[in-house]
Amino acid sequence: METNSETKRVAIVGATGYAGSELTGILARHRYAELVALFNSGGAPAAANPAYPQLIALPFTLGALVDAKPEVVFLATPNEASADLAPKLLDHDMRVIDLSGAFRLNDPALYPTWYGFTHENPALLDQAVYGLTEWCNGELKNARLIANPGCYPTSILLALRPLTFAIDREQAVICDSKSGVSGAGKKADLNFSFAELFGNFKAYGVGQHRHEPEIRQQLHLGDRAPVVFVAHLLPVHRGILSTMHIGFTHAMTEAQIADAYARAYANAPFVRVLPAGQLPELKNVVNTPRAEIGFQLLQGGRRAVIVSVIDNLLKGAASQAVQNFNRMCGFAETEALV
């Protein structure tokens, strides 16, 4: 790629995972990103993306990354690895977009319980910008560290954030989400293998899923509102469908709901809200960077069922990371994504 004055030097750590491979493919066609270094999480060199076999990901070392002199580094690495690596990259004046959960929670005390490690850099939690792109109002431009949202939270927050003004905090907010098996990554775990899930459907992590505190934190409903999140595994490779059940403080009309969404997403190129009563399907968004949202009012407008769908590897990870990169660097938000 020919470098120009706008081009940013970019590196990816974890380029051979599911999300990292998608990220590599997007940035390889980005007009203003020069991929200067690709690293896997260990092992022998491998193609970072099957569509770009010339892009070889090497075993990671900090020295090799520093020598490549990237301006922006994407971390598609495990949570604890990101927590350890990000501060070192920031010390080298690199900007970081982290796809793990290492910087998503504000309270460091939550990490031992929900992520299984003690956070050694709690001061960075205050500096990190939570990168739910459509709900960032300029703070991405000056961000040094962006915490890319989780895939489940992305599907839920996009659907519910426009309606929080009317949600009844005395009633449970129930989030029932189903994901394709790629959401578990490439780890060798029999419970997440497609052979075990084919022809099957199951819930997992009830009451202990690490995305639960992230959802509670980012819904901004306060401490009183009970939030119930249940994740399920679908026998498909990719995609998330979330069904949310909410009550309102007063009866809402279809027009009021539609207006709330329209105001929230008037300038959001990757969020589509369907007309009242039309609910989205997974096939509408798989292999795209889009989210689709639909709603159905119940009980005379006192309750609603909200359904959202995203591709967990794209809007739930790689394409949202590139949206954040585009805003961070002042590029068109849709660059390399349409």
Side-chain angles (χ1 to χ4, degrees):
M1 174 184 290
E2 183 179 346
T3 304
N4 61 40
S5 60
E6 289 188 289
T7 298
K8 297 295 182 182
R9 295 172 60 84
V10 173
I12 304 172
V13 184
T16 52
Y18 288 136
S21 179
E22 296 283 354
L23 184 58
T24 301
I26 297 170
L27 291 174
R29 62 178 182 265
H30 197 295
R31 291 181 296 169
Y32 307 114
E34 180 189 5
L35 281 170
V36 297
L38 296 172
F39 299 98
N40 58 27
S41 298
N49 184 294
Y52 300 88
Q54 75 279 16
L55 298 176
I56 301 300
L58 301 174
F60 174 75
T61 68
L62 181 59
L65 178 57
V66 172
D67 288 344
K69 297 181 172 62
E71 296 167 86
V72 181
V73 180
F74 291 82
L75 298 180
T77 44
N79 304 303
E80 198 163 356
S82 287
D84 176 67
L85 184 55
K88 298 173 183 175
L89 303 182
L90 294 173
D91 287 343
H92 282 89
D93 293 324
M94 301 173 191
R95 302 172 82 179
V96 176
I97 300 175
D98 178 34
L99 278 71
S100 84
F103 299 96
R104 292 174 186 157
L105 302 182
N106 297 334
D107 185 355
L110 294 174
Y111 279 88
T113 299
W114 294 97
Y115 281 92
F117 70 93
T118 299
H119 208 293
E120 300 295 337
N121 292 280
L124 283 182
L125 299 178
D126 293 329
Q127 297 179 30
V129 174
Y130 187 79
L132 187 66
T133 316
E134 288 77 12
W135 289 87
C136 294
N137 297 311
E139 60 267 41
L140 292 172
K141 183 177 181 180
N142 297 315
R144 297 177 64 237
L145 172 60
I146 295 175
N148 220 55
C151 50
Y152 282 126
T154 294
S155 69
I156 291 167
L157 297 171
L158 287 175
L160 293 188
R161 284 281 288 268
L163 304 178
T164 53
F165 73 96
I167 290 177
D168 185 355
R169 269 76 166 167
E170 302 297 330
Q171 300 185 50
V173 175
I174 299 172
C175 305
D176 183 19
S177 298
K178 300 95 175 170
S179 174
V181 295
S182 60
K186 283 189 173 180
K187 61 188 177 185
D189 187 328
L190 183 62
N191 292 321
F192 295 93
S193 71
F194 200 82
E196 289 295 310
L197 289 168
F198 181 73
N200 194 17
F201 179 52
K202 63 182 181 181
Y204 71 102
V206 178
Q208 54 188 353
H209 197 288
R210 60 185 49 168
H211 285 320
E212 185 171 319
E214 180 183 347
I215 293 166
R216 292 177 184 274
Q217 171 184 288
Q218 294 298 329
L219 278 179
H220 304 309
L221 291 175
D223 296 334
R224 285 192 311 170
V227 177
V228 179
F229 169 64
V230 181
H232 303 74
L233 285 174
L234 285 171
V236 300
H237 177 57
R238 58 199 296 164
I240 287 177
L241 187 150
S242 290
T243 303
M244 288 135 290
H245 308 262
I246 58 175
F248 298 118
T249 56
H250 57 280
M252 297 286 289
T253 66
E254 291 179 348
Q256 288 173 319
I257 299 290
D259 180 65
Y261 281 123
R263 284 185 282 108
Y265 299 126
N267 299 307
F270 298 116
V271 178
R272 180 185 179 211
V273 180
L274 303 179
Q278 294 186 26
L279 301 180
E281 301 179 29
L282 211 54
K283 66 181 182 181
N284 297 349
V285 298
V286 167
N287 294 311
T288 83
R290 298 194 313 273
E292 285 195 358
I293 301 168
F295 66 94
Q296 176 67 60
L297 288 177
L298 304 174
Q299 298 179 11
R302 295 305 298 262
R303 296 191 60 79
V305 171
I306 317 290
V307 177
S308 74
V309 289
I310 64 170
D311 186 310
N312 59 297
L313 297 179
L314 290 175
K315 185 57 177 166
S319 70
Q320 182 153 238
V322 175
Q323 277 184 267
N324 289 328
F325 169 73
N326 286 338
R327 285 206 187 182
M328 169 192 275
C329 299
F331 305 138
E333 188 171 329
T334 57
E335 172 61 39
L337 298 175
V338 295

